[in-house]
Amino acid sequence: MFDFFQQESFLDKVIFGNTVLRYLVSIGMFLVPAVLLFVLNKFVVSRIKKWISKSSWKLDDFAVDVFEKIVYPLIYAGLFFLAFNNLSVAGQYKALVNKTGIILVTIFAIRAVIMVLNFMIVKVAVKGEDDEIRAKSMKGIMGLIKMVIWIIGIILVLDNLGYKVSAVVAGLGIGGIAVALAAQAVLGDLFSYISIMFDKPFKIGDFIIFDDVMGTVENVGIKTTRISSLSGEEIVVSNSALTNSKVKNYKKMVTRRVLFKLGVVYGTPKEKLEKIPVIIGGIITAISGARFDRAHFSAYGDFSLNFEVVYYVEGNDYNKYMDINQEINFKIYEAFEKEGIEFAYPTQTLYVKK
């Protein structure tokens, strides 16, 4: 009985304004949920992670990542905050803890926003065979986005802590306008870079032509795009110049349409003229990778009877196209020579009146 009263008096003992019992309750408020959370993570969440690691779906990995890096720390911070508020402490200490809580919540909120944006931009918006290359390119603008988000977050924290930030915001606004005017060309290239990344008119490795420039895209940077020309030199072009120009992307070509014309002499008999479309159609049809479309006697020229031929080459390989084109030309020449059909060339007939 004496021990019980001694124990009761010990629990009622006041230390720094709180009884021992209140300290124990506060510790229990923090430790019990924390231990349960630890057990949950150890035996449940870890198994969920092993299960989703076998899945190709990106969203479940992202959800677990957010839970571990954002939700867990916030829960522990919240438990500590509740346990601390259960104690009777001086106002200045409680205010300090409240301000610390505001700072922590803001930091984790900023981290959550950055994680969501990073997931949307780098992992979701980037699709296709060039995922890895494009993801690395997209990370170039993530640094700028993170800087802007952190600046906004710091301003919000200062405002919530009672500091007057209106002058700072006004200063940033005026400074932003000055920087925007001074770096107008750079910002234009930056927005063009973002447009290229999302619109995807071309990618690294594509062969493009715009204005008088042609070559293979080697790198897409924040300000410039580097192109390797056919003659070997590297051409550096501003991103805004690309987005403001008509760009031909030959890498995305599925089939190449080829149109060519040839002329025969005016003395060619009608029977042989009628054979020409059939001869050309048979030659093209017999060649692998080429698809014949049409061949017609199209016009009377100044010195020739003109035929127009259209065919298609499957794929975007230029060397393959040139090989097929060469084979067609050789076989047409051979067939015309066999049939006695003469190719026309510029001639003039001069009549002399006596």
Side-chain angles (χ1 to χ4, degrees), residues 264 268 272 275-276 279 335-343:
V264 298
T268 305
K272 290 186 178 181
K275 283 184 178 181
I276 290 175
I279 292 171
F336 278 24
E337 189 177 38
K338 184 178 180 181
E339 292 289 337
I341 301 173
E342 295 183 36
F343 288 99

Side-chain angles (χ1 to χ4, degrees), residues 33-66:
V35 170
L36 291 175
L37 194 63
F38 176 80
V39 173
L40 179 68
N41 179 55
K42 190 73 174 177
F43 296 100
V44 179
V45 178
S46 58
R47 293 188 179 183
I48 294 175
K49 285 174 63 178
K50 290 180 181 179
W51 177 69
I52 65 174
S53 63
K54 302 176 183 178
S55 172
S56 59
W57 199 32
K58 297 178 180 179
L59 186 59
D60 48 11
D61 296 325
F62 172 71
V64 171
D65 199 29
V66 170

Side-chain angles (χ1 to χ4, degrees), residues 17 44 65 89 125 129 137 145 148 166 179 190 196 207 212-213 218 234 271 285 300 311 323 328 352-353:
V44 179
D65 199 29
V89 295
E129 59 184 10
S137 299
I145 294 175
V148 172
S166 55
V179 171
L190 174 61
I196 291 171
F207 184 85
D212 59 343
V213 177
E218 295 292 335
E234 184 180 70
E271 294 77 14
T285 303
Y300 293 93
Y311 69 94
D323 289 340
I328 290 172
V352 179
K353 187 175 182 181

